[in-house]
Amino acid sequence: MQEPVTPGNNPRTVGDVMTRTVISIGRTAPFKEIVRTMDQWKVSALPVVEGEGRVVGVVSEADLLPKEEFRDHTPSRIEQMRVLDALIKSGGVTADELMTAPAVTVHADASLAQAARTMAWYRIKRMPVVDAFGRLEGVVSRSDLLKVFLREDEDIAEEVRRTVVGQLFAARRQHLTVEVSQGIVTLAGTITDTSLIPVAARLVRAVEGVVDVDMQLRSGDGRT
């Protein structure tokens, strides 16, 4: 079970949010065993491992559905060209024949943003977390990555004050206020160099847990 996200325990990397107790299967796992395992553990995909836990592929619900899709339908030759991979998998009976390989994986020290981009690019819901040797360490899901937004507003504000205001504006003796509500950061005050506004906005957005940024900065002469 994952620990709750609280101040001082803020998720920064995949290792902070991943599920460490992982159900996996071997290459020879039969079709019905795969379905039963998914149903029992309420997961949509299973890592396929061999040897000392090295991940060689992933079997997902999408890999299993062709078995039902083509049960009472023989696609035309044109259709076969379009759905060749699915058609091949419809005849699969073991994990080795059904899995998607190589598996899309991530390391525990990867940032949450990196993991999110990878999952979005490959359109996957769950991703195995592996060590330097490709051995299974855990699994990260879309819901795991969203845990960063459970971070407390005041904790976000403190980091913005320290890492953005404190470093970008402190030397200029500018008086800025940082307020956070529901993850939306409002940065307000007077600055001497308005060219830094886009830089500040980018740095604030990079803080884990930030939902949006409202920049209310003005120059010393009243210009925004």
Side-chain angles (χ1 to χ4, degrees):
M1 180 179 295
Q2 297 295 315
E3 296 181 2
V5 178
T6 57
N9 181 34
N10 302 311
R12 303 286 179 161
T13 67
V14 168
D16 294 327
V17 300
M18 71 182 188
T19 299
R20 297 179 182 275
T21 302
V22 186
I23 305 303
S24 61
I25 54 175
R27 286 181 178 270
T28 60
F31 187 99
K32 294 192 71 170
E33 178 185 323
I34 297 170
V35 175
R36 280 195 296 267
T37 302
M38 285 184 175
D39 180 66
Q40 178 182 354
W41 294 96
K42 308 303 178 188
V43 295
S44 59
L46 293 167
V48 181
V49 301
E50 68 177 5
E52 297 181 353
R54 186 171 62 87
V55 177
V56 294
V58 172
V59 175
S60 69
E61 293 171 335
D63 295 318
L64 303 178
L65 280 177
K67 181 75 71 178
E68 185 66 21
E69 179 182 356
F70 298 110
R71 178 180 301 280
D72 58 0
H73 171 63
T74 301
S76 66
R77 184 169 299 179
I78 295 178
E79 288 179 306
Q80 288 179 25
M81 294 176 64
R82 181 173 56 84
V83 296
L84 181 59
D85 185 59
L87 190 61
I88 292 173
K89 289 190 176 183
S90 70
V93 296
T94 65
D96 189 48
E97 297 167 335
L98 295 160
M99 69 182 184
T100 296
V104 178
T105 62
V106 68
H107 294 294
D109 61 357
S111 71
L112 302 183
Q114 289 174 318
R117 285 194 293 269
T118 300
M119 294 176 77
W121 176 262
Y122 288 99
R123 298 181 180 180
I124 54 180
K125 299 177 181 179
R126 292 165 58 85
M127 187 162 53
V129 183
V130 299
D131 64 13
F133 301 99
R135 295 175 300 207
L136 185 64
E137 289 191 316
V139 169
V140 65
S141 67
R142 291 177 180 175
S143 61
D144 291 329
L145 298 180
L146 291 175
K147 290 176 182 177
V148 67
F149 294 108
L150 297 176
R151 190 177 184 188
E152 296 292 340
D153 286 341
E154 184 53 36
D155 194 48
I156 295 173
E158 283 300 321
E159 182 170 344
V160 172
R161 293 184 189 108
R162 184 179 70 255
T163 65
V164 181
V165 175
Q167 296 184 23
L168 197 59
F169 299 108
R172 297 169 177 79
R173 297 182 180 179
Q174 292 151 127
H175 300 286
L176 305 180
T177 61
V178 178
E179 295 183 357
V180 184
S181 177
Q182 297 296 315
I184 300 174
V185 179
T186 299
L187 188 57
T190 302
I191 60 176
T192 58
D193 186 357
T194 56
S195 68
L196 291 175
I197 292 177
V199 179
R202 184 173 67 252
L203 292 175
V204 173
R205 290 184 189 279
V207 173
E208 298 287 4
V210 170
V211 174
D212 201 0
V213 181
D214 182 11
M215 304 297 287
Q216 297 183 11
L217 300 177
R218 292 176 172 77
S219 66
D221 57 11
R223 294 178 299 174
T224 57

